Amino acid sequence: MFGIGGGELIFIIFIALMLFGTDKIPEFARTFGKFMANLKSTTNEIKHEIQKSAQTEGITDSMKELTETFTKEVDQAKESVGPAGYIDLGDESLLDLPNPVQQVEEDIESMIGPIKRKR
């Protein structure tokens, strides 16, 4: 809990008892509990109002339409990719296209020539 261990928590409670006394601690705990309950209910009300205004503005409907459109596009892309990972490009496949990384590797090898790294 907040990076506080058991010993540290006992020490904090001990200091609070010394500062405020045994009769004030329950009153502070009650006040803190009411504050936390009020904070929670306020945040829930704000969240509810935001969701309500989003529904009235039609944001949720437009988000649903957007996600449906996106999933349709993804499905179409999946259909265009064949079972072996080829994209339907007519007569060409991805394996036939030049690989720039392999070309750079071959260029470096040709520049180095007979020079080899000694270990």
Side-chain angles (χ1 to χ4, degrees):
M1 181 174 88
F2 306 115
I4 297 175
E8 295 166 341
L9 188 62
I10 290 173
F11 181 72
I12 291 171
I13 292 172
F14 180 71
I15 295 297
L17 282 172
M18 288 180 63
L19 289 176
F20 303 113
T22 57
D23 39 329
K24 294 276 186 178
I25 296 293
E27 183 180 327
F28 287 142
R30 235 178 272 117
T31 305
F32 182 71
K34 287 179 183 177
F35 170 75
M36 292 303 290
N38 191 9
L39 180 68
K40 184 176 180 180
S41 67
T42 304
T43 55
N44 285 337
E45 287 177 12
I46 291 171
K47 195 184 312 179
H48 178 69
E49 286 296 320
I50 290 172
Q51 289 174 350
K52 186 178 175 182
S53 65
Q55 287 177 348
T56 58
E57 293 294 323
I59 293 174
T60 54
D61 294 335
S62 63
M63 286 300 291
K64 286 180 184 177
E65 291 173 12
L66 181 65
T67 55
E68 288 174 1
T69 305
F70 182 73
T71 53
K72 287 178 185 177
E73 292 291 329
V74 169
D75 290 339
Q76 288 176 355
K78 285 181 182 178
E79 289 174 4
S80 68
V81 175
Y86 295 110
I87 295 179
D88 187 17
L89 299 174
D91 294 336
E92 297 181 34
S93 68
L94 284 180
L95 294 178
D96 296 335
L97 297 176
N99 186 354
V101 175
Q102 190 174 12
Q103 288 176 347
V104 170
E105 182 181 357
E106 291 172 359
D107 291 342
I108 292 173
E109 288 291 327
S110 67
M111 283 189 271
I112 294 175
I115 301 172
K116 296 291 181 179
R117 191 179 278 186
K118 295 182 182 179
R119 293 182 190 217

